[in-house]
Amino acid sequence: MIYVDLKGRLSGLTMTSSSFEAQVADFRQYVKRISDYKSAINLLGWDARTKLPKKGVDARSQVIGTLSTEHFKMRTSDDMQRHLDRLSAHVDQLTPVVLRTYEECQKDFDKSKKIKADRFEAFTVLTNTAQSVWQTAREHNDFASFAPYLSQIVEFQQEFIDCWGYEGHPYNTLLDAFEPGMTVQVLDPLFSTLRAQTVALLQKVMQAKPIDDSFLFRHFDAEKQRAFCTRLVQQIGYDFDAGRLDESAHPFATGIARGDVRITTRFLTNFLSTSLFGCIHESGHAMYEQALSKDLIDTPLHEGASMGIHESQSRFFENIVGRSYAFWDHFYGDLKTVFKDELADISLDQFYRAINVAKPSLVRTEADELTYNLHIMIRYEIEKGLIDGSLQVKDLPEIWREKMMEYLGIAPDNDADGVLQDIHWSSGDFGYFPSYSLGNIYAAQFANALEKDIPTFSALIANGDFAPIRKWLHHNIHQHGKLLMPGEILLKATGEPSNAQFLVTYLTKKYASLYEF
Ligand code: ZN
């Protein structure tokens, strides 16, 4: 006699199909509750970054903290363990969605369980403090005050890596958290190709006649920018019935739930590019999540395959589509109508060249399409060296300047614009930076495959017809969510593993034509 109680728990000695189905349903229900928590956390987080009054910040942090703790507890609970144990005996009977959900939950469970609760808590306390220490250190250009915290964070990372275990390089474990399956062995040759070719290209750009982009810094009314950006992202395919556009100091996109993927931007009245390309970038992220398969709803697979694949979608729209001549061939008329005085004397050709200006700069977040990856290389090499012990925290300011000189030909005279510029290390996010460049590499590789399938790619953009492009992305990338690994998506969509040559070819062609060399 088989008996399944209200929670789907099994009693009895033999397994029948009905009890198996009940177990799967029970597991799915449990996993759905976890994603409901996540949805609530994301919504509160969105509100905190866009609408929350200053005096509500502390209380909100506590609410998010409480929900995050519950979310973590559910993912690592005895209940979760029971679900996973029950399914483990029947993996060959699971549908692809349930199997991948099971695998994701198991991986998450194992990883979390390997760290003792008191060590994880100590790390959380440390990074909370380190973030405010970092903020003050950056303001006062005082690396020495942040250095002891960074050293401790690195030691924690090394300790966690030992608990989690690793194959090959210890940094692989950190990479895997953001880019499942990625390793130093793959990344090193990928990045060294890109670095060498980018440095050579940049030198040619620097020898060429500079492009004038000064008109982008004229006064542009914020309300007019908002109206234009709204129309623009709507036309490329961002669905306002399943999202909204708000303002925040640091632009982001966030998936709250099915049918609710929001974007934010910042309207600077003295620089037009920020809102234009920020909006296109974030809508690239958001259109990915708006197009995830319905089959993945209420599972941990209902999100991007990895940080790198996610970033490939935002960079594809921002740079490959949004900074193309064809794109502004379509949109520039409208922009010029909106800013008829400001852009009266500026031709489409001048505009296209100005939005693509490349030059070495000190700060990553302000870097252009060409030089951006060089900023990432520096961080990647430093992180890898800190983790394997070949670099010491105290030497970072000097190493930073040396690498900046070597790759970009300029170096900061203070650490605030150097080694202290990013928040990532103070919050313990090691392994994240490579995702940005992987996004660029993947984006060019996807674009190459897309253009083979749709040779009219540029003509479609120039006509403002983005549906066939979105359809290709949906079919090859978006719908899969986390059902496929990043490497599988790349292989299926482009026929080969990650290859930096597509990005190099794209950049070479683009900048040789822009700077006429
Ligand atoms: Zn992004």
Side-chain angles (χ1 to χ4, degrees):
M1 170 90 188
I2 297 294
Y3 162 69
V4 180
D5 73 13
L6 282 176
K7 287 189 174 161
R9 275 185 286 242
L10 179 75
S11 307
L13 295 171
T14 51
M15 174 66 68
T16 67
S17 66
S18 68
S19 66
F20 169 69
E21 279 154 19
Q23 285 179 2
V24 170
D26 195 13
F27 172 63
R28 291 198 71 145
Q29 188 55 33
Y30 188 78
V31 165
K32 180 190 182 308
R33 283 174 55 212
I34 296 178
S35 42
D36 286 347
Y37 271 96
K38 196 172 161 210
S39 179
I41 293 164
N42 287 354
L43 178 60
L44 291 171
W46 168 85
D47 178 75
R49 293 165 77 181
T50 55
K51 309 281 179 192
L52 185 66
K54 214 164 52 187
K55 290 182 179 171
V57 169
D58 284 348
R60 176 60 51 83
S61 302
Q62 285 171 32
V63 175
I64 291 179
T66 302
L67 289 182
S68 298
T69 305
E70 288 307 308
H71 182 247
F72 181 78
K73 277 186 190 162
M74 284 192 77
R75 285 158 42 210
T76 52
S77 68
D78 293 344
D79 278 346
M80 177 59 96
Q81 179 152 40
R82 206 187 63 248
H83 285 299
L84 293 171
D85 288 347
R86 292 196 311 192
L87 294 190
S88 67
H90 309 282
V91 284
D92 52 338
Q93 290 168 262
L94 302 176
T95 62
V97 170
V98 178
L99 177 61
R100 276 289 295 139
T101 302
Y102 160 79
E103 288 170 350
E104 275 296 305
C105 292
Q106 184 75 62
K107 187 177 173 182
D108 182 40
F109 183 87
D110 289 344
K111 213 177 155 185
S112 308
K113 284 287 181 185
K114 281 180 181 164
I115 307 292
K116 288 204 173 72
D118 62 328
R119 295 306 289 156
F120 189 74
E121 212 177 304
F123 179 65
T124 309
V125 171
L126 171 65
T127 50
N128 276 337
T129 313
Q131 281 175 61
S132 59
V133 172
W134 163 76
Q135 208 153 13
T136 313
R138 193 175 63 158
E139 277 159 26
H140 297 117
N141 184 30
D142 176 18
F143 179 74
S145 66
F146 176 58
Y149 292 87
L150 184 54
S151 297
Q152 284 183 62
I153 289 172
V154 170
E155 281 162 25
F156 262 107
Q157 298 286 345
Q158 290 165 331
E159 179 188 324
F160 291 168
I161 291 169
D162 282 340
C163 298
W164 289 323
Y166 64 91
E167 281 175 39
H169 197 283
Y171 188 69
N172 287 348
T173 298
L174 302 179
L175 275 176
D176 187 74
F178 301 101
E179 198 64 19
M182 184 50 69
T183 62
V184 165
Q185 206 184 0
V186 175
L187 214 45
D188 275 347
L190 210 57
F191 277 9
S192 73
T193 305
L194 182 58
R195 191 186 58 233
Q197 308 254 26
T198 306
V199 169
L201 254 177
L202 181 60
Q203 279 163 2
K204 286 187 184 166
V205 166
M206 294 311 288
Q207 283 156 13
K209 186 169 172 269
I211 292 171
D212 175 24
D213 64 348
S214 58
F215 60 85
L216 293 174
F217 300 87
R218 290 174 180 169
H219 182 85
F220 295 94
D221 177 75
E223 279 315 305
K224 287 182 183 176
Q225 288 189 49
R226 183 201 303 277
F228 179 79
C229 286
T230 304
R231 274 203 301 282
L232 186 149
V233 296
Q234 197 157 24
Q235 278 193 49
I236 62 176
Y238 176 68
D239 180 1
F240 274 95
D241 287 334
R244 49 181 292 140
L245 169 64
D246 294 271
E247 279 178 69
S248 66
H250 302 282
F252 64 97
T254 183
I256 311 290
R258 178 83 194 163
D260 187 0
V261 189
R262 307 179 183 196
I263 57 174
T264 72
T265 195
R266 176 160 86 115
F267 300 104
L268 300 181
T269 51
N270 59 356
F271 186 40
L272 187 57
S273 293
T274 302
S275 69
L276 290 184
F277 298 101
C279 277
I280 302 173
H281 180 98
E282 300 309 336
S283 62
H285 280 303
M287 286 188 285
Y288 184 4
E289 299 210 8
Q290 285 181 333
L292 294 166
S293 166
K294 288 188 175 63
D295 299 344
L296 309 178
I297 295 174
D298 297 332
T299 78
L301 313 179
H302 194 258
E303 59 181 49
S306 67
M307 295 310 294
I309 298 284
H310 226 309
E311 198 63 15
S312 78
Q313 297 311 290
S314 56
R315 304 271 170 154
F316 172 82
F317 274 101
E318 178 193 350
N319 291 329
I320 296 178
V321 174
R323 288 183 207 269
S324 70
Y325 189 87
F327 189 80
W328 291 101
D329 191 11
H330 180 72
F331 283 105
Y332 192 57
D334 186 9
L335 186 69
K336 232 178 135 147
T337 310
V338 174
F339 295 109
K340 48 183 178 300
D341 296 332
E342 296 83 346
L343 296 173
D345 56 336
I346 305 301
S347 68
L348 166 60
D349 202 55
Q350 282 172 296
F351 183 78
Y352 164 68
R353 285 162 57 91
I355 56 169
N356 283 296
V357 158
K359 55 172 176 276
S361 59
L362 297 174
V363 178
R364 173 185 63 85
T365 53
E366 290 160 16
D368 53 72
E369 186 181 5
L370 179 64
T371 57
Y372 190 90
N373 297 308
L374 298 174
H375 292 265
I376 297 304
M377 306 293 151
I378 294 170
R379 289 151 177 80
Y380 168 62
E381 288 161 21
I382 288 178
E383 287 192 353
K384 209 171 55 158
L386 287 174
I387 295 303
D388 70 19
S390 60
L391 295 182
Q392 302 304 314
V393 165
K394 66 175 172 44
D395 302 325
L396 291 192
E398 206 38 52
I399 292 167
W400 189 279
R401 276 188 277 276
E402 278 166 21
K403 287 187 187 289
M404 281 293 292
M405 273 318 280
E406 190 185 344
Y407 303 160
L408 287 135
I410 56 170
D413 52 19
N414 64 72
D415 293 333
D417 287 335
V419 68
L420 284 172
Q421 67 181 265
D422 298 302
I423 191 174
H424 301 58
W425 293 340
S426 67
S427 50
D429 284 331
F430 277 69
Y432 188 105
F433 280 121
S435 310
Y436 296 114
S437 283
L438 282 170
N440 289 325
I441 290 170
Y442 297 161
Q445 195 169 337
F446 286 137
N448 185 270
L450 191 156
E451 227 174 325
K452 273 191 197 147
D453 291 345
I454 310 177
T456 53
F457 178 54
S458 283
L460 288 169
I461 295 173
N463 285 327
D465 183 6
F466 297 95
I469 297 167
R470 281 201 318 278
K471 196 175 162 196
W472 190 95
L473 296 172
H474 173 73
H475 176 75
N476 287 286
I477 304 157
H478 296 172
Q479 62 165 336
H480 303 305
K482 257 190 146 105
L483 191 59
L484 300 180
M485 296 281 278
E488 289 177 288
I489 290 176
L490 208 61
L491 200 58
K492 277 173 87 113
T494 72
E496 60 178 302
S498 50
N499 181 344
Q501 203 51 53
F502 294 105
L503 179 58
V504 169
T505 305
Y506 158 80
L507 291 171
T508 306
K509 210 173 133 194
K510 182 168 182 176
Y511 284 93
S513 143
L514 275 161
Y515 282 88
E516 297 165 350
F517 53 76

